[in-house]
Amino acid sequence: MSWTTVADVVGAVCLVAGSVLTLVTALAVNIFRDLLSRMHAATKPQVLGLVLMMAGVALIVRNPVVDWTLVLVVAFQLITAPISAHMVGRAGYRTGKVDSSRLVVDELTADLEASQRQAREEQAAADGDGER
């Protein structure tokens, strides 16, 4: 058995495993009802599924140009997925889509109240300056 046969088999296994994780992600996003659960389901297994699929393609194709392209795809996904999940969670919290009574740790309430208080004070100061 040559190493190319082993690489093809391992690549096929990676492609199937990545596809299964992507399917699980799609199902979980449809099953879960609250924003934070959906957000978690959309980022965690999806990133691992993408990494497995890109590894499978790299093992099957075995072309250095394609391999480096796949590495860039994985790197950009690993960089952007946590940032986008953070922004979606924060926006959902600010718009009231998150049930804060179900949170174990809630670090945003104080920040949100402080920013709302500051916005009201700035608006009051701007309204006071406009009357003069």
Side-chain angles (χ1 to χ4, degrees):
M1 183 184 295
S2 67
W3 73 271
T4 57
T5 305
V6 172
D8 287 340
V9 169
V10 172
V13 169
C14 286
L15 282 172
V16 170
S19 299
V20 167
L21 279 172
T22 303
L23 177 65
V24 167
T25 298
L27 294 173
V29 167
N30 286 321
I31 291 172
F32 292 142
R33 294 291 162 221
D34 64 323
L35 175 74
L36 297 179
S37 297
R38 284 182 174 183
M39 182 182 67
H40 183 77
T43 55
K44 302 299 182 197
Q46 184 268 336
V47 171
L48 180 59
L50 178 76
V51 169
L52 285 173
M53 288 199 295
M54 296 299 111
V57 169
L59 287 170
I60 291 171
V61 174
R62 292 185 292 276
N63 181 339
V65 174
V66 173
D67 292 346
W68 283 110
T69 304
L70 297 175
V71 167
L72 286 175
V73 168
V74 169
F76 285 128
Q77 183 68 28
L78 290 173
I79 291 169
T80 59
I83 295 169
S84 62
H86 172 78
M87 297 308 293
V88 167
R90 195 167 184 109
Y93 188 88
R94 286 179 178 260
T95 58
K97 303 288 189 236
V98 175
D99 182 14
S100 59
S101 66
R102 297 184 65 200
L103 298 177
V104 176
V105 177
D106 186 6
E107 296 175 349
L108 286 179
T109 298
D111 291 342
L112 186 59
E113 289 172 353
S115 66
Q116 288 173 345
R117 185 172 46 259
Q118 181 180 1
R120 283 192 303 267
E121 291 170 359
E122 289 174 0
Q123 184 63 37
D127 291 343
D129 290 343
E131 293 176 359
R132 292 181 194 184

